[in-house]
Amino acid sequence: MEYGVGDNSYTMAGKLAGISKLVDDFYINMDNFPEAKKVRSMHSSDLFESKKKLAYFLSGWLGGPKLYAEHYGSINIPAAHQHLSVGVEESNAWLLYP
Ligand code: HEM
């Protein structure tokens, strides 16, 4: 199966259930990695909405249902982060994987 064609990437990611698991694990790591403390503190203590937004965004980005657009409207990722102070340290923390 070729990635990036139709909803293949979305399907291979396990559809919304798989994406939600990925997002849950991502935020569990953010909670646990000392290097990610600053990035975690940029979020509210309750991550429910952040997780939902990221999972919905990734659904559309992977070729599946455009859930973010349906629920929240259009998004421009750089603009959505403009109020945040994101530099190299924050970027590395975001991408950190042990
Ligand atoms: C250095 C990297 C990044 C940092 C530090 C960061 C941080 C944040 C923070 C603090 C929020 C606000 C969360 C909240 O409302 O509680 C947010 C929102 C969001 N981020 Fe990121 N982010 C990064 C990269 C990314 C990437 C790569 C993506 C996409 C794959 C992404 C997708 C989103 C989306 C969809 C939202 C929700 C925007 C909204 O509707 O308000 N972010 N991000």
Side-chain angles (χ1 to χ4, degrees), residues 42-43 50 53-54 57 68 75 77 81 84 86 91 94:
M42 292 174 172
H43 296 74
S50 305
K53 284 180 168 180
L54 184 55
F57 170 80
Y68 188 96
I75 184 166
I77 290 288
H81 295 83
L84 302 167
V86 176
S91 170
W94 184 265

Side-chain angles (χ1 to χ4, degrees), residues 5-96:
V5 176
D7 66 356
N8 285 356
S9 300
Y10 173 75
T11 302
M12 292 306 284
K15 302 191 175 176
L16 188 58
I19 293 170
S20 299
K21 169 90 172 79
L22 175 79
V23 168
D24 281 347
D25 288 350
F26 175 79
Y27 274 112
I28 286 171
N29 284 343
M30 195 186 285
D31 263 332
N32 290 330
F33 294 170
E35 297 92 332
K37 221 180 166 84
K38 189 169 165 201
V39 167
R40 175 62 181 87
S41 74
M42 292 174 172
H43 296 74
S44 38
S45 52
D46 182 350
L47 289 169
F48 180 81
E49 201 62 24
S50 305
K51 286 180 183 174
K52 192 165 146 188
K53 284 180 168 180
L54 184 55
Y56 279 14
F57 170 80
L58 290 173
S59 171
W61 188 74
L62 289 168
K66 299 193 180 319
L67 299 175
Y68 188 96
E70 280 170 26
H71 290 260
Y72 303 105
S74 64
I75 184 166
N76 171 321
I77 290 288
H81 295 83
Q82 220 159 27
H83 64 293
L84 302 167
S85 172
V86 176
V88 174
E89 192 191 325
E90 292 75 19
S91 170
N92 287 340
W94 184 265
L95 295 171
L96 185 66

